[in-house]
Amino acid sequence: MKLSRPISWFLLAFGVWSWFIWITFVKNLVNDASGLAFDDAGNPTGYFWVHLLLAITSFLLGTAIGVIGLRGMRALSREHDNK
């Protein structure tokens, strides 16, 4: 399957955006002082674990999507170089 340049850029940008957003989210989650992420003793709550799992899943999916976009860009570059 061959990806177009706009689709490859979109996938690559999505992967980068996903990392940016979720890194920010995890930093905010770890520094949460509202009582949602950590109980009074400082132990992680269910809210913390669910959202950490969500962030990890998003990191993995964002990475996979970004890699697909990067491979698409490389393939287009190689095709252009061979002309």
Side-chain angles (χ1 to χ4, degrees), residues 1-44:
M1 181 166 127
K2 184 177 172 184
L3 298 175
S4 68
R5 187 170 308 278
I7 295 296
S8 295
W9 273 112
F10 174 78
L11 295 174
L12 184 58
F14 180 87
V16 171
W17 176 254
S18 180
W19 271 84
F20 174 75
I21 290 299
W22 287 101
I23 285 174
T24 302
F25 181 82
V26 169
K27 284 180 184 178
N28 291 337
L29 183 65
V30 168
N31 295 324
D32 179 60
S34 71
L36 287 173
F38 299 97
D39 63 17
D40 293 334
N43 298 318

Side-chain angles (χ1 to χ4, degrees), residues 36-37 43-52:
L36 287 173
N43 298 318
T45 62
Y47 177 91
F48 174 86
W49 292 114
V50 166
H51 286 83
L52 183 62

Side-chain angles (χ1 to χ4, degrees), residues 65-76:
I65 290 168
V67 166
I68 292 168
L70 183 62
R71 287 182 178 178
M73 293 300 294
R74 285 184 178 169
L76 288 168

